[in-house]
Structure formats: structure tokens, C-alpha cells
Amino acid sequence: MKDPPNISESQRPPISPSSDTSVSDNPHARLILNKFTLYETRTRFYVVGSNQNDESFRVLKIDRTSGTELNVIDDEVVYTKPEMMELLAMIENGNKSSGGLHKVASFFGIVGFIRFLEGFYIILITKRSAVALIGGHYVYHIDDTMVVSVPGPGAKLERKPDEARYLQIFGQVDLSKNFYFSYTYDITRTLQWNMSLPSGRENFEYSDMFVWNHYLLRAGFESMRSDWVLPVVHGFVDQSKLSVFGRNIFVTLIARRSRYFAGARFLKRGVNDQGYVANDVETEQIVYDATTTSFYSPPGRYGNKPAYTSFVQHRGSIPLFWTQDAAGMAAKPPIELNLIDPFFSAAALHFDNMFKRYGAPIIVLNLIKSKEKNRRESILLDEFTDSVSYLNQFLPYDKKIRYIAWDMSRASKSHDQDVIRVLEDFAEQVLATTGFFHSGPEPYTNALRRAKATGEDGPVNRILGRRQNGVVRTNCIDCLDRTNAAQFVVGKCALGHQLYALGVLAHPSVPFDSDTINLLNAMYHDHGDTIALQYGGSHLVNTMETYRKISPWTSHSRDMIESIRRYYSNSFTDAEKQAAINLFLGHFVPNENSGVPLWDLVTDYYLHNEDPRFKRPRRSYINWYDGRELLQRADGVENSQQPCGVDDGFFHEYYRPKLYTSFARLFAFNIISTSTSLPSKEDVLDPSPFTVRANPAQAHRYLMIYSLNIGGVRRWLKLSNNQAQEPLQRPSKGRITEIGESEDKQRSKSTSGKDSATPWWTTSALASRLLDPQVLGSELKEYKRYINQFKSSTLPADSTDQRSAHKSHADYHIFAEYVGRGGVQLSKTDRPPEAYFEMDPRDEDVYNYYISKSGKTSTYVGSSVKKLDALRYEAYSKWISKGKLTSQRSKAVKV
């Protein structure tokens, strides 16, 4: 992993001094704007931005008189709240004759500006939700946006018939799905890069590769360092919590999708002539100790804080010129190599860019098929192998690209190969080669263990910090199913090393089927589904359970459905998706003077490749790399971050000292955790998240929680283990007791109140009922009475024993309730129950006749039973208890 260069004072843009005392004394500091209001007059839009505490304000003015040009004026003055109110009052008084000043909307950020054939539009973020917390810095997901036309009523516009169609195509890029931003954290960079820079937003250097609204922002702002600029990343962000005996460890996954050569599956394959590959996604796994929330706390610990670790891996299409034509409606179109370059210029540009981003070495894991009946993927295997061999002959020996080709699909179908074991061995080699980022010194106990294992004598040498140098690049033919499984195994191995570096584990490994790995598997499953939906149009077809060979038989139907969805998307909807992406990213700029609209383009090849008339000079075929990017930065280098004061933007955004808050609304309190588990005897005895669970439902539980909402946007289904809400309570000895009737009524009331907020027919209510079924105490009693009525019982031959057996009968309370209707309470008297009833003489005669004529059975009629009936009564009792009749003349006969 490469680190950022040092920033000199002359490189920082000057910012006007502020009259607000809440702004930092640093003359280069930037105001963090995270709340905005849009006002309009007849001739202008006024965007008023403020910080979290509404103490500092900025104003952005947008002219509305022109129909074709965008004129944005940035007022660099920082206003206080009274000054801002006075300014708005002046604007309103000055525009009374033309309608005054009106509030249009409140929003959370500007995505950018766009123009098709008529006037400009401004895209605003109207809803957001927090999805991650990194060192006190929130990462938000865009939940909803609003598009507002800029030209005012007086602007001269020439109406174009295609304007509505362009607006409809632009709207197909759904900004409410998997788009993320942060006010105080550079989400376009890795944690290693960010922690190697001085603190403050003025030091941010956004990576253009991952800023998806780069084209939209350039239309309105001259510099990306403006306070109004809010970079938006497309991909995946999710965060979970490991509860290790009260110590909270946060695990965060951030996937950044490149905006270069972006598009749909069959329409974007291979590489373009600038070295950018299709489906280029950078995945970062951040693991940190959340004992202290902020990067900067405790004071003086920021540059040497051992609580943060990260590991980065990469996926991308094979860097060759190849395509697949889906026009024939085939599920697997043939693969064609369009251009054979003996010098592999595009691959050289691609790996040179990888060296600049991550350093050396680059480890390539190629998972495409090697043996096929009809050659498809194997065509690319030979060419990719030749390209790496050619490029490696010019690299230094220790910086060569490490290329590993393995047919993962064939290995998973073989009975004598363990796919997971092979991937785990590979992952250990990757971690030993590239390492991972650790922001501070390792625990002293780790250094002692290492010294004891190696038998070193003398002083113990601690590792003061770690840097990731290099990256593992994984690919299959689509970079979806096989790639995601391999990335999960590498991430699992990295998680063990990260927890070991934080002092959580005594050995750098975490076993499968533990709560920690089940949760990580669910996160990577959600991560893979999101990437697959963005690129392929469907969820993952083969999941991690498939390669572990533990998937249930029902998964076959699911895989078939996902294959059909992917085929339908690739055949019918990908063309529209690609057109929307080309319009959103600025690859295609509508022009009323050009005669070819976007939807009539035969191909978009020239939108993603250089114009052959203006191509850059060809680079050297031998010195195809920049040698400066191959230099390795040693471990133990301290970070250059400095502690900040309470005036920094993140402090007020997270702690909000002037606002009353509660734990129920705190994001860190509601994160899905390993403590959210199925209650069982094993969990009570061993609550460690690293213990292997024998219950297979544990893994499916986490998978269900995460798969209910693709993208990790929000967890609207959270199963709590609050014992006060459960109908069955588990005492300390493991015995299960029932709740009383009064508690049962309260339980039903609270449940009905809770369910009233969510309609019973919704998906969330159905999932809650299926995953967390509630059984009332009354229902449990009725069920026990039902199953107990069929149990064998022996009637006593003595009337005294019969009376004492009444109260133990399961239906006694029904009999007591019946008797109680006459005003008699059986519990307050010693008289036998039959004493409360008067028998009709006619019924008594019929009953006595039945007794006298019966030759097989008899029944108890009171204390006056005759000795003659004893044998018959005994036979009847045995028939009741055993289901058999015993006779002196014959053996037992089963009834």
C-alpha cells in the first residue's frame, strides 16, 4: 500500500479569515458544512450551509437568469447566526417587488450539476443514514435525492423534445442505492493513507478514480478543495461489532468501485487503452478497538495509537482486450480476443497504476477455468499468463508480479480437493508478503511470544507499526462468485492477524463456524451480492456455503433463479444501464448540434478509449513502470497526525454536546453484533465470539439478518435477546420456567403495541415472526395439557386415593371452573367433588344395569363398591394404563 506524499504549506489553498470564534485558528482550516438550506428568488438561488452547531454559515449564490450557462458565486465570508439572519432579511426586502425570498428545501449536501440540452439541474441529498463509524467520523448512505431546475422564470430556454428522455435516462442511476459520503473522513482513500496525513479536511486529496460525482462537481466548482464539494463513492459500506467480553471491536468493509471503464457485465469486459479494467473494485477491511471512539483520544496518542488496523485487496477484470457479444441471447456468449498486442501495453499501464496505488509486490490470483470441453475461459488463461511473463522480465527480482493460476471451479467439483484449505494456505502467504496496516506498536505480549518462539536472547524488539506494501489482485471471468469466495477467505485470514495485532487473540487465526466468522461471512455475502447486482444484475449464484459444500438442497433452486435473473438483466436491461452510467459519469455529453443522441449510438467504444487522433505518446516497452513506486516503506514509521481540539468538525458531528441524545438513537449502540445470537445452553456457558458453534442455525441467522437489505444500508430487522421480552426465561441453573398469567397479559399488551407500528403483512413483520417466534404462557399450558392427556395413567382401587388424584389431573381446573359456577370453590373444602352433584334416579338405574351386565370392565362408583367388582375394576385399570385386557382364561390380547 502506498502512502501519500507530504504536503507543503505552499500547496494548501488559502482560505479567508473567519470572524467566527468557533472556527479553528489554523488559517488553512476548512469549515465543515453538513446542513444546508436552499432559498430562491426570481433571479437567484441561495444555498446556506452551516456546521453541526449552527454557529458558522457560508452562502453559495447561483444565477438563474441564464438558460444555458451556470454561474456559481462562492461567498468566502463566514457568517455567525445573527449575521446570517440579517443577510437573509436584506435579501428578502430587496426582492419584495419580484416575489421575495422563499425556502425551497433543506438537504444534506450537493451531489453536483448536470445539463442536457436545456438548462442546468442541481442534485441535492435530501435523506441520509449513518452506516459506519471510523474513528469518530460518520460515513453516510444516500437514501433520497432531489433534482431542481436552475433557470428561473425569466430565463430564455429553447425547448428540446429529447430533454425529458435524457432526464429519464439520468434517473436510472439510482443515487439511493449504494452511494456513500462523509463530511470529515476521506472515504475515497484507505485508512493507511488517511492516517499518514495531517488531520483536517484541508489536507484531503480525493482519489479521482472513486469520486463518482466528479463530472457533476466540475460543472459548478473550479476546485475539489471547495467547502461545498462532497465526494460520493459508489460501492458498498457495512460495519459490525464483535463483543469480546465487554470489549467492542468494530469490523468495517468498504468497497470502492472505480468510475473508469465502469458499466454492465457483457458491455464492459477486459481493459481499455488507458489501462483501466472493468469491474474494478477496491475492498478495505478495517478492524479497530472501539474502547475509545476518536482517532484523537486520549490526547497525545494519535500519532502512536495502536487501535486501528486495515487490509486492502483488489478485484478487476483480466487486463486484455476481450469481449463477449450478448446479441445472440446466449447465456454464456463466446469469448473473443479483439486485439493481440505482443507488448501488452494496456496490461503494462494497468499494473503500473496498481504499483502507484498499492506499491509492490502485486499478487495475482487467477481463478478462471483451465480445462473445458469448448474453450472459453481457457483462451484468456494462456494470454494472461503470457502477459505477466512478458512484463516480469523487466522488473527487479524482488518486485516481480507473483502470478498464481488455479482452476477453482474444477477443484470445487472434485472430491479429493479441499478448496477452503488451499485458499487458506494462499491467504497466509499473502499476509506474510504484503502485510497489513497497523497504526501503532504491537502489544508487548506479542513481542514476548515471538521472542520465545524464535529462541532469541536479549532485549525484546517490538514492532512499532505496520504498513501494507503491495496487494492481492483476485479475478475470475466475471470477478463475482469465485472472486468473492476467495476474498472472504483472505479477509478471514487477515481478520485473525488484525485481532492478534490488537491483543484480542493469542494466536492469529479464527476458526470457521464461530460467531466472528459467521458474522464476517454474512458481511462478505452482502458485499458480494451488492457488487454482483451492480455489475451482473443479480445476486451471487455460488456462495461461500457452496464452496464449503455445506449448502442445503434448497440452494439449488435459488442458484437457478439467480442465473435466470442474471441472464434476463444481461439480455434486456444492461444496455439502458450502460447508457445511464455513460451519461452520469460524463462519458457522453449531450449536444444539440450533434446529430446522434445517446440512445442511437451503435457502440460506446470511443467513449471509454482515447481518440486515435489525439493519443498520448507511446511509453517504453521495457521501462513500462515507474521505479519510484516500487520503493517499500519500512514498518515502524509513526503517523504524522496531530491531536485536534474540540473545534474540529468531527467532534460536534459525533458527540453533539448541545443536543439531547439517547442510546437508542446512537449508531454505535445499534450495530449488529456477535452478542445478537440464538439463546442456547452453549451460549450461556461460553459467550466468546471465537468459540465454534455446533448449531448450524447460527450462521444462517447472521446471513438472514444481512441478506434482508442488500447493501448494508440499514438494519431494519434486529433480533434482541432481552430476556424480559421472552416468554421463556432461563434461570442460572439452566432450567426453563414459565411466566405467570399477569406477566403474560403484560407481554401480550407490549407485543401488540410494538406490532402496531409495523403492519402484520409487511416483509419485516413476517421475518420477525419467523426468526423470533413468541409463545405465550397460556398457549404453552394448553399445549402441555394436550400432550399430557394421552399419557398412560393407573386408576387407584381405593376411593381415598382417587380423591387425592383429582387435583393432579390436567383437566382439574376445567372441572373446578364448572363446579365454581354454582358458587362452590373446590379449593376451600375437603369434600369430594361427587358430593356436590345430585344424580337422577333413572340415570342411576341405567348405570347399575350396565355394571351388572358387563363382563369385562367396571368403573368406580364410590365407596360402596362391591368386592365382586374388584377383578373387573382391576382389568379395566390395566386396560386404561396398558391398552390390554387380561383374562384368566386367555393370555393378554392387545386391543
Side-chain angles (χ1 to χ4, degrees):
M1 273 289 293
K2 297 303 291 181
D3 299 297
N6 294 327
I7 299 177
S8 62
E9 295 294 330
S10 61
Q11 293 176 314
R12 297 173 180 170
I15 295 180
S16 62
S18 170
S19 60
D20 186 13
T21 57
S22 66
V23 181
S24 175
D25 295 333
N26 183 1
H28 301 287
R30 293 171 56 183
L31 181 63
I32 305 299
L33 303 176
N34 50 21
K35 291 190 292 185
F36 305 86
T37 306
L38 180 64
Y39 297 93
E40 69 169 346
T41 64
R42 187 176 180 86
T43 59
R44 277 186 176 179
F45 274 132
Y46 293 89
V47 180
V48 178
S50 66
N51 61 356
Q52 185 65 46
N53 290 336
D54 292 330
E55 295 176 347
S56 302
F57 295 81
R58 293 279 308 273
V59 178
L60 188 72
K61 307 171 186 178
I62 305 174
D63 183 49
R64 304 184 65 195
T65 58
S66 176
T68 58
E69 296 182 358
L70 180 65
N71 187 11
V72 179
I73 304 173
D74 185 4
D75 187 353
E76 296 184 355
V77 178
V78 178
Y79 299 91
T80 61
K81 190 170 186 178
E83 293 172 345
M84 192 71 252
M85 299 299 294
E86 182 180 356
L87 177 63
L88 292 177
M90 293 174 56
I91 296 174
E92 185 174 8
N93 292 331
N95 290 272
K96 279 188 176 180
S97 59
S98 59
L101 181 71
H102 303 283
K103 178 180 177 181
V104 178
S106 296
F107 58 98
F108 299 101
I110 300 175
V111 178
F113 301 86
I114 185 69
R115 179 178 181 267
F116 307 120
L117 298 176
E118 297 179 2
F120 277 88
Y121 299 88
I122 181 173
I123 302 99
L124 309 176
I125 302 172
T126 56
K127 290 184 181 180
R128 69 182 185 187
S129 59
V131 293
L133 180 67
I134 304 174
H137 302 271
Y138 275 116
V139 177
Y140 297 96
H141 176 268
I142 298 178
D143 291 340
D144 198 8
T145 58
M146 179 173 63
V147 179
V148 180
S149 178
V150 173
K156 295 182 179 180
L157 290 175
E158 183 180 355
R159 299 299 176 184
K160 303 292 183 178
D162 293 336
E163 180 74 11
R165 185 167 182 179
Y166 275 116
L167 189 61
Q168 183 266 338
I169 294 175
F170 180 83
Q172 290 185 12
V173 177
D174 193 353
L175 286 170
S176 64
K177 291 183 179 179
N178 312 124
F179 284 88
Y180 307 89
F181 67 93
S182 177
Y183 300 110
T184 57
Y185 182 80
D186 187 0
I187 194 177
T188 66
R189 296 287 189 177
T190 63
L191 181 68
Q192 177 171 314
W193 178 284
N194 288 331
M195 294 195 72
S196 301
L197 286 175
S199 61
R201 188 174 175 181
E202 65 274 8
N203 298 311
F204 286 0
E205 291 185 356
Y206 302 118
S207 176
D208 292 344
M209 173 176 281
F210 302 116
V211 181
W212 269 63
N213 59 335
H214 185 273
Y215 169 72
L216 304 179
L217 291 172
R218 285 294 185 185
F221 304 103
E222 296 180 357
S223 172
M224 293 294 289
R225 290 182 176 272
S226 172
D227 291 346
W228 303 94
V229 168
L230 191 64
V232 173
V233 171
H234 185 40
F236 173 82
V237 177
D238 199 9
Q239 190 171 64
S240 297
K241 180 171 56 179
L242 306 181
S243 181
V244 187
F245 300 102
R247 183 180 179 185
N248 291 326
I249 307 296
F250 282 13
V251 180
T252 310
L253 276 185
I254 301 178
R256 307 174 182 92
R257 178 177 291 279
S258 172
R259 68 183 179 94
Y260 300 135
F261 205 49
R265 181 188 178 201
F266 285 147
L267 301 179
K268 286 294 166 286
R269 291 295 212 186
V271 66
N272 64 2
D273 58 3
Q274 302 172 43
Y276 299 117
V277 297
N279 200 18
D280 188 321
V281 180
E282 175 186 277
T283 301
E284 182 179 15
Q285 179 175 297
I286 301 174
V287 180
Y288 71 92
D289 187 352
T291 303
T292 56
T293 302
S294 169
F295 281 142
Y296 317 95
S297 181
R301 189 180 169 193
Y302 190 86
N304 195 24
K305 186 173 182 180
Y308 289 84
T309 65
S310 75
F311 177 76
V312 178
Q313 47 186 327
H314 177 272
R315 73 169 70 185
S317 187
I318 298 175
L320 301 172
F321 293 105
W322 61 281
T323 58
Q324 282 183 282
D325 187 7
M329 303 291 289
K332 293 183 178 181
I335 295 175
E336 298 180 3
L337 278 170
N338 305 105
L339 177 63
I340 304 298
D341 183 3
F343 304 104
F344 302 101
S345 302
L349 290 173
H350 171 69
F351 283 110
D352 183 42
N353 179 261
M354 295 280 290
F355 284 135
K356 291 179 181 179
R357 291 160 61 184
Y358 307 111
I362 302 297
I363 303 174
V364 177
L365 178 60
N366 187 8
L367 301 175
I368 62 177
K369 299 176 181 179
S370 59
K371 294 183 179 180
E372 301 172 292
K373 293 182 179 179
N374 299 319
R375 283 173 56 85
R376 291 182 61 258
E377 299 183 12
S378 55
I379 298 175
L380 300 177
L381 176 64
D382 299 336
E383 192 72 12
F384 193 17
T385 304
D386 293 341
S387 68
V388 175
S389 300
Y390 172 81
L391 298 175
N392 268 341
Q393 63 182 331
F394 306 113
L395 287 171
Y397 178 77
D398 58 337
K399 307 298 181 183
K400 291 183 182 295
I401 301 172
R402 305 187 182 185
Y403 178 78
I404 300 173
W406 180 50
D407 191 344
M408 183 176 175
S409 177
R410 185 180 183 88
S412 64
K413 298 176 182 178
S414 175
H415 298 286
D416 57 349
Q417 293 193 48
D418 189 349
V419 174
I420 305 302
R421 179 64 59 85
V422 173
L423 289 176
E424 285 184 325
D425 294 340
F426 168 76
E428 290 292 343
Q429 296 177 11
V430 169
L431 267 294
T433 304
T434 65
F436 60 95
F437 171 71
H438 187 201
S439 62
E442 65 176 345
Y444 189 70
T445 54
N446 291 4
L448 291 177
R449 293 190 188 102
R450 186 172 59 255
K452 183 178 179 180
T454 57
E456 297 179 358
D457 296 331
V460 177
N461 297 321
R462 297 178 66 186
I463 299 176
L464 300 181
R466 295 177 181 269
R467 303 283 173 180
Q468 181 176 349
N469 291 281
V471 73
V472 55
R473 183 193 190 278
T474 310
N475 72 267
C476 53
I477 197 65
D478 295 320
C479 301
L480 296 179
D481 301 343
R482 286 168 281 178
T483 299
N484 197 74
Q487 284 196 336
F488 163 70
V489 177
V490 176
K492 169 186 174 295
C493 178
L495 178 63
H497 285 270
Q498 290 173 288
L499 293 175
Y500 179 74
L502 295 176
V504 179
L505 295 177
H507 187 272
S509 64
V510 186
F512 274 103
D513 298 321
S514 61
D515 289 344
T516 299
I517 298 305
N518 288 339
L519 194 60
L520 185 71
N521 182 27
M523 294 178 67
Y524 269 94
H525 186 278
D526 200 1
H527 163 266
D529 277 343
T530 304
I531 300 301
L533 281 170
Q534 295 167 3
Y535 183 65
S538 70
H539 297 88
L540 292 173
V541 176
N542 297 313
T543 62
M544 192 61 203
E545 286 71 22
T546 304
Y547 296 106
R548 289 186 65 191
K549 300 178 181 179
I550 60 172
S551 58
W553 63 271
T554 54
S555 65
H556 298 296
S557 58
R558 173 199 169 277
D559 295 346
M560 184 181 299
I561 293 175
E562 295 301 332
S563 299
I564 295 174
R565 287 185 57 186
R566 185 172 296 183
Y567 169 74
Y568 175 82
S569 176
N570 299 153
S571 301
F572 300 103
T573 65
D574 277 0
E576 296 179 358
K577 181 194 297 185
Q578 186 65 58
I581 293 175
N582 291 337
L583 187 63
F584 184 89
L585 296 177
H587 298 310
F588 179 87
V589 179
N591 188 351
E592 58 270 16
N593 297 325
S594 63
V596 181
L598 175 61
W599 46 88
D600 287 341
L601 288 178
V602 178
T603 177
D604 64 349
Y605 174 83
Y606 295 103
L607 301 180
H608 296 270
N609 293 271
E610 289 185 331
D611 191 330
R613 299 171 297 175
F614 308 103
K615 276 196 171 183
R616 292 173 292 181
R618 190 179 297 275
R619 300 178 61 177
S620 172
Y621 295 132
I622 298 177
N623 300 320
W624 58 266
Y625 60 92
D626 188 349
R628 295 172 298 178
E629 307 298 340
L630 301 181
L631 300 178
Q632 181 175 358
R633 186 171 179 179
D635 293 339
V637 180
E638 293 188 357
N639 300 318
S640 58
Q641 300 274 4
Q642 298 297 327
C644 70
V646 297
D647 294 332
D648 191 67
F650 98 95
F651 183 88
H652 295 286
E653 182 185 10
Y654 177 74
Y655 292 102
R656 311 184 105 183
K658 296 185 179 181
L659 180 67
Y660 175 78
T661 56
S662 61
F663 281 120
R665 300 183 61 184
L666 188 63
F667 172 76
F669 186 76
N670 295 312
I671 298 178
I672 293 293
S673 170
T674 53
S675 59
T676 307
S677 58
L678 295 174
S680 64
K681 185 176 181 180
E682 291 76 11
D683 292 339
V684 175
L685 297 178
D686 190 356
S688 171
F690 309 112
T691 301
V692 177
R693 307 295 183 187
N695 184 9
Q698 197 79 351
H700 294 293
R701 174 189 177 86
Y702 292 122
L703 196 59
M704 278 292 297
I705 292 176
Y706 278 86
S707 62
L708 286 172
N709 189 16
I710 298 301
V713 177
R714 62 182 69 86
R715 300 288 175 255
W716 47 268
L717 177 61
K718 184 174 184 292
L719 305 180
S720 62
N721 289 324
N722 187 0
Q723 293 186 357
Q725 296 180 354
E726 295 185 357
L728 297 181
Q729 295 181 341
R730 185 182 301 277
S732 58
K733 295 183 180 180
R735 298 172 57 188
I736 298 179
T737 58
E738 299 178 19
I739 293 179
E741 293 182 358
S742 61
E743 297 179 2
D744 193 11
K745 293 179 180 179
Q746 295 177 0
R747 161 74 180 170
S748 61
K749 291 181 180 179
S750 63
T751 304
S752 61
K754 180 180 67 174
D755 293 343
S756 61
T758 304
W760 65 269
W761 45 265
T762 59
T763 307
S764 59
L766 174 62
S768 298
R769 292 195 299 271
L770 293 177
L771 293 178
D772 192 16
Q774 303 295 333
V775 180
L776 299 179
S778 59
E779 296 177 353
L780 182 62
K781 290 181 179 179
E782 182 180 359
Y783 177 72
K784 285 186 174 181
R785 171 177 162 267
Y786 172 75
I787 61 176
N788 288 335
Q789 67 176 335
F790 298 106
K791 289 185 177 179
S792 59
S793 61
T794 303
L795 296 179
D798 184 70
S799 60
T800 304
D801 297 336
Q802 172 69 9
R803 296 193 193 102
S804 63
H806 282 305
K807 294 183 179 181
S808 63
H809 197 276
D811 293 338
Y812 178 76
H813 67 282
I814 301 178
F815 177 70
E817 181 182 0
Y818 175 78
V819 174
R821 294 177 181 176
V824 181
Q825 297 184 4
L826 296 181
S827 59
K828 297 183 179 180
T829 179
D830 295 333
R831 299 175 60 188
E834 60 271 16
Y836 295 101
F837 300 96
E838 295 182 359
M839 182 177 293
D840 192 301
R842 293 172 297 180
D843 294 335
E844 186 175 6
D845 293 339
V846 173
Y847 185 72
N848 290 332
Y849 177 79
Y850 168 76
I851 292 298
S852 62
K853 297 297 182 181
S854 176
K856 293 184 178 181
T857 61
S858 178
T859 186
Y860 176 66
V861 294
S863 58
S864 59
V865 63
K866 300 180 180 180
K867 295 182 180 181
L868 186 62
D869 297 329
L871 295 177
R872 283 180 292 181
Y873 177 78
E874 182 180 357
Y876 179 70
S877 176
K878 291 181 179 180
W879 178 75
I880 290 292
S881 60
K882 300 180 180 181
K884 298 179 180 180
L885 288 176
T886 304
S887 176
Q888 295 181 354
R889 300 179 182 179
S890 61
K891 297 182 179 180
V893 180
K894 188 170 182 178
V895 179

